[in-house]
Amino acid sequence: MSSTPSPTELERSDATEPGFGPVLAALCETWAARQGAMLSIKDAASGRYAYVNDAMARFLGRPASQICGHGDAELVDPALVTAWRAAEQSALSQAQPLTSEHRFEWAGQRHDYAVLRLAVDADGQAGRWLCSVWTDQAPQRQKDLQLRAALQQLEEQQRANEKLRLEVADQGLRDAATGLYTRPHFEDQLRREVDLSTREHREFALVLIELDPFSERVGELGAAAETRIFEAMGRLLRGNTRAMDASCRLDGRRFGVLLSGVGLATAHSRMEGLRRQCATQIVVLNGEELGFSVSMGVASFPHTAASQQDLLVACEGALAEARRRGGNHLTLASIRFEDR
């Protein structure tokens, strides 16, 4: 019967004594070297180190000659001994290599290792040796964190670019003075509402609004006063319409509003409230208070018109009637009755 090599014999870096197995020793050393890993071999029964490579010796902070022949209880903190020994017992009970992770504080530093353990025979003695390869996970985890941070930064930049693109595109459709959409957007939305109403048999309202002639004082103050009035009109329209509605400045003193899914009666109620707000709105320029009023015409589809063109004509007619009545007035288009 052959004898088991002593710890002193296994300290040598080649670890090729017959009792240990030259092929296994070379394989472990090659694996550890390629991984930049720490390698240790323990007596399975006693848990004492039989071999450590240079990296493991540096980690434990002692020369290999002071490690081999000793157990973890003599070298590291008791808490580590318990965790490591539990993982070793699991590996000894397995027929295949077992990988476990160990995160711990040691020598004032935080460590994060993946440990591959394999129980092997030596000269017919089952489970005689326990080989462990310790791979430091910190560099890879740091790279993963950096990669995730870079990807997150890239995603945030992409979202910011997309938001900016949409804002730029949106600004191209808006009037600078009022912040409202311009005529092209209004016409596009009007076509959409007509198509939607026709397909789903639902109604919507069209409102044309025109600023009444300004007072003499506004005329005297000129463009600055008119700009303040346009700004106030934009705020009032945005505050009295929903996200699904479309409030636009069509040209000069005229505005248009599309009220989606709203009938003539509801449109009248909402726009009458807006008309009153305009009439009581105070605009201040250089400490001077200025006022304004509007005229409105309201029509609905399909109750007051059967086509887009008829709707516009009906709404124009209602607006003209509001102006004819002296302004600061809201007029409804006549309801269309089908021929019988």
Side-chain angles (χ1 to χ4, degrees):
M1 179 182 296
S2 62
S3 61
T4 301
S6 68
T8 303
E9 291 174 319
L10 285 174
E11 284 179 33
R12 300 195 325 219
S13 61
D14 57 6
T16 57
E17 294 298 323
F20 179 72
V23 175
L24 179 61
L27 179 61
C28 291
E29 277 288 3
T30 300
W31 172 264
R34 288 183 178 179
Q35 299 296 317
M38 304 184 305
L39 171 63
S40 70
I41 301 172
K42 289 183 177 180
D43 182 291
S46 66
R48 296 180 181 276
Y49 286 96
Y51 172 81
V52 294
N53 68 352
D54 291 339
M56 192 69 185
R58 287 194 299 271
F59 172 73
L60 293 174
R62 303 186 185 193
S65 60
Q66 297 180 17
I67 297 173
C68 292
H70 299 278
D72 288 323
E74 303 170 78
L75 302 170
V76 298
D77 295 337
L80 298 183
V81 175
T82 302
W84 294 0
R85 192 57 181 167
E88 290 171 353
Q89 292 299 323
S90 296
L92 289 169
S93 66
Q94 301 289 324
Q96 300 295 326
L98 180 67
T99 300
S100 56
E101 293 188 354
H102 295 281
R103 299 177 183 177
F104 54 90
E105 295 282 347
W106 169 253
Q109 295 183 354
R110 182 70 177 171
H111 296 278
D112 186 353
Y113 283 96
V115 184
L116 175 67
R117 293 182 173 91
L118 174 64
V120 296
D121 296 339
D123 287 345
Q125 299 181 37
R128 184 68 179 85
W129 305 111
L130 179 66
C131 302
S132 302
V133 179
W134 295 63
T135 305
D136 190 357
Q137 299 298 293
Q140 184 59 47
R141 293 190 190 279
Q142 182 64 27
K143 290 180 181 179
D144 292 342
L145 287 174
Q146 292 174 347
L147 178 59
R148 285 197 293 270
L151 290 174
Q152 182 178 1
Q153 184 178 10
L154 179 60
E155 291 176 356
E156 291 174 353
Q157 185 62 50
Q158 289 176 335
R159 286 194 292 268
N161 290 341
E162 179 64 13
K163 181 180 179 181
L164 179 60
R165 185 189 68 78
L166 293 175
E167 288 177 351
V168 170
D170 187 67
Q171 288 300 320
L173 296 173
R174 289 187 181 272
D175 171 63
T178 63
L180 302 174
Y181 286 110
T182 55
R183 179 181 285 274
H185 179 79
F186 174 80
E187 293 175 345
D188 182 56
Q189 289 299 109
L190 178 57
R191 287 192 293 269
R192 290 171 182 262
E193 284 293 339
V194 170
D195 290 342
L196 184 63
S197 178
T198 302
R199 290 197 311 271
E200 299 187 3
H201 304 288
R202 53 179 288 183
E203 57 187 347
F204 74 93
L206 169 64
V207 185
L208 291 180
I209 305 171
E210 188 170 308
L211 287 166
D212 293 329
F214 295 138
S215 65
E216 292 184 4
R217 185 53 182 157
V218 171
E220 292 172 358
L221 294 173
E226 293 181 5
T227 297
R228 290 294 176 85
I229 292 174
F230 288 137
E231 291 172 351
M233 190 66 196
R235 287 193 300 272
L236 289 170
L237 278 173
R238 290 194 300 274
N240 283 273
T241 53
R242 304 161 300 175
M244 66 182 70
D245 301 328
S247 301
C248 310
R249 184 181 183 184
L250 302 179
D251 54 49
R253 304 156 66 95
R254 181 170 288 200
F255 303 83
V257 180
L258 293 172
L259 300 175
S260 183
V262 169
L264 198 62
T266 302
H268 173 270
S269 176
R270 290 174 55 183
M271 291 299 101
E272 177 63 19
L274 174 61
R275 183 195 65 77
R276 292 178 181 177
Q277 288 185 48
C278 292
T280 58
Q281 182 75 20
I282 299 299
V283 178
V284 179
L285 177 66
N286 299 327
E288 187 171 350
E289 295 183 354
L290 306 171
F292 67 95
S293 63
V294 297
S295 296
M296 297 182 176
V298 182
S300 69
F301 185 94
H303 294 99
T304 60
S307 67
Q308 179 175 321
Q309 184 59 36
D310 289 345
L311 180 66
L312 288 168
V313 170
C315 204
E316 286 281 5
L319 176 60
E321 178 62 20
R323 292 199 306 268
R324 189 187 66 79
R325 295 182 182 183
N328 193 23
H329 199 86
L330 183 152
T331 303
L332 298 178
S334 299
I335 295 178
R336 177 175 62 92
F337 293 96
E338 298 287 350
D339 295 334
R340 295 186 178 180

